[in-house]
């Protein structure tokens, strides 16, 4: 069982097979060679895995994010933080982090955030005196906050795999997301101070008012989504649907930057991305079911317990493992496959499942900009034609800063659970 469920996926991944084929081959091999699991159960589990109400939020948030990016709402949304942070040393990159955090409150894809925010800020970063290495690293890295700032597709998938409340995990992600953004902003401030660049200029009240006026309709979207979810007026799934309707109305009838032809293209691209996610969700459901029914998950918990390591050491081992996984597997797939295996270990150490969800999402989100296969790296490279050498070198300090933030979130659970206690 260990060879089939653990060794086979690693071998296939190293051979370059896509993840859905890796999962399909693994579950098929387990059923054929072990013989104790009825093949007829596979389609039932696949359909039950994608037949959960909370998963409806995934295509809605993907669609809303695509509409915002192509319909001009993203551009208007980031103008406000540009006006607000203009007086700070390192104003331009700090503004990029603030804009990413704000955009992350709607878009559920780190790659989409890099694609939307990058073209706006990269020319400004170069104009202000930041070298290509730093600019490429920042643009590639900043999108990872999108997974941590709720609402987040990664959080929804974790809740589906772990059978936890989506609303609770959204609450838990607010403070950690802000803390990670602040830690990155401090690093940027220090970098700009040492290099003596981008001193900033005094904020103009007129510019702030103009930015707020132009971005009013875009700013109202996170207000409506957050207010509705946390005010108890609608569920995260219903909020995602409302976000789609709102984005359609604003982009097509208020800003009028999106035509029906463009709307159709956005719908098709969103459909393709949704189908990829749901295919992996379905196969990961079967994979998780085999892990549980075969007793492999329980054996892993027992093996960890036999090591007699303190809880903090086990958490470090889990974090190192997830960091390695995040380098080669996308966040959504890793969450769906690894949550059934790692969550029992976390519970065995009395780690709150909601807090562990924040740890997993944060950790695997770092993988989106970690070499060699971080998705944000290839998005940034394709958009700006950065040399990969510049991107890799520019990412090193941001990876270290993100890992520092991960350590804070891991060992200070109050950051994740404080709002839930209110």
């Amino acid at each position: 069982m260990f060879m089939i469920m653990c060794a086979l996926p690693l071998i296939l991944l190293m051979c370059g097979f896509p993840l859905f084929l890796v999962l399909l081959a693994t579950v098929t091999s387990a059923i054929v060679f072990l013989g104790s699991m009825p093949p007829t159960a596979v389609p039932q589990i696949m359909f039950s895995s994608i037949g959960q109400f909370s998963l409806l939020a995934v295509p809605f948030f993907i669609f809303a994010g695509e509409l915002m990016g192509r319909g001009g709402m993203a551009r208007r949304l980031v103008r406000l933080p540009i006006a607000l942070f203009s007086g700070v040393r390192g104003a331009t990159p700090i503004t990029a982090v603030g804009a990413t955090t704000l955009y992350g409150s709607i878009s559920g894809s780190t790659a989409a955030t890099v694609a939307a925010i990058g073209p706006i800020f990269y020319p400004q970063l170069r104009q202000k005196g930041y070298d290509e290495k730093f600019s490429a690293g920042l643009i590639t890295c900043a999108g990872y906050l999108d997974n941590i700032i709720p609402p987040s597709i990664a959080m929804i998938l974790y809740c589906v795999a772990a059978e936890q409340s989506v609303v609770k995990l959204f609450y838990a992600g607010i403070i950690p997301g802000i803390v990670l953004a602040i830690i990155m902003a401090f690093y940027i401030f220090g970098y700009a101070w040492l290099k003596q660049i981008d001193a900033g200029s005094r904020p103009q009240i007129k510019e702030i008012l103009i930015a707020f006026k132009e971005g009013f309709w875009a700013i109202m979207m996170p207000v409506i989504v957050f207010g509705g979810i946390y005010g108890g007026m609608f569920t995260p799934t219903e909020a995602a649907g409302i976000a789609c309707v709102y984005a359609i109305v604003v982009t097509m009838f208020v800003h009028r930057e999106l035509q029906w032809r463009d709307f159709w293209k956005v719908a098709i691209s969103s459909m393709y991305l949704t189908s990829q996610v749901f295919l992996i969700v379905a196969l990961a459901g079967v994979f998780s079911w085999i892990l549980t029914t075969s007793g492999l998950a329980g054996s892993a918990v027992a093996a960890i317990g036999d090591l007699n390591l303190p809880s903090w050491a086990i958490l470090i081992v889990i974090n190192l493992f997830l960091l390695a996984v995040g380098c080669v597997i996308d966040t959504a797939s890793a969450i769906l496959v690894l949550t059934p295996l790692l969550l029992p270990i976390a519970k065995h150490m009395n780690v709150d499942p909601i807090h562990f969800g924040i740890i997993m999402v944060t950790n695997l989100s770092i993988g989106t900009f970690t070499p060699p296969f971080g998705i944000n790296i290839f998005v940034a490279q394709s958009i700006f034609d950065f040399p990969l050498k510049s991107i890799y070198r520019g990412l090193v300090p941001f990876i270290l800063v993100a890992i520092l933030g991960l350590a804070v979130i891991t060992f200070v659970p109050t950051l994740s659970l404080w709002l839930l206690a209110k």
Side-chain angles (χ1 to χ4, degrees), residues 188-234:
I188 291 170
F189 176 83
Y191 178 90
W193 183 78
L194 287 173
K195 297 288 186 179
Q196 288 297 300
I197 55 177
D198 199 8
S201 58
R202 187 175 180 179
Q204 301 293 322
I205 300 299
K206 180 180 179 182
E207 178 63 24
I208 294 174
L209 293 175
I210 292 174
F212 182 80
K213 179 181 177 181
E214 289 193 1
F216 174 78
W217 294 104
I219 295 168
M220 286 305 296
M221 179 181 279
V223 171
I224 292 171
V225 171
F226 277 121
I229 292 174
Y230 302 135
M233 288 182 285
F234 35 76

Side-chain angles (χ1 to χ4, degrees), residues 49-68 106-109 112 151-154 156-157 160 170 221 236-245 247-248 263 265-279 281 332:
S49 298
I50 61 175
Q52 302 184 52
F53 179 73
S54 58
L55 279 177
L56 280 175
V58 174
F60 284 139
F61 278 127
I62 290 174
F63 190 39
E66 288 282 316
L67 288 169
M68 287 184 68
I106 293 299
S107 172
S109 167
S152 161
I153 292 175
I156 294 172
L157 296 177
V160 169
F170 280 3
M221 179 181 279
T237 302
E238 293 165 343
I242 290 171
C244 284
V245 174
I248 292 171
F263 177 84
K265 292 178 181 178
V266 171
I268 292 175
S269 64
S270 301
M271 177 191 68
Y272 277 123
L273 183 56
T274 300
S275 64
Q276 293 172 14
V277 172
F278 273 58
L279 179 59
V281 169

Side-chain angles (χ1 to χ4, degrees), residues 126-166:
R126 300 291 283 133
Q127 184 179 4
K128 291 293 184 179
Y130 295 95
D131 59 27
E132 182 183 65
K133 182 178 68 175
F134 176 90
S135 303
L138 175 68
I139 294 300
T140 307
C141 160
Y144 95 105
L145 293 171
D146 194 295
N147 270 344
I148 303 154
I149 299 293
S152 161
I153 292 175
M155 290 183 179
I156 294 172
L157 296 177
Y158 172 83
C159 289
V160 169
E163 298 181 352
Q164 298 296 316
S165 167
V166 176

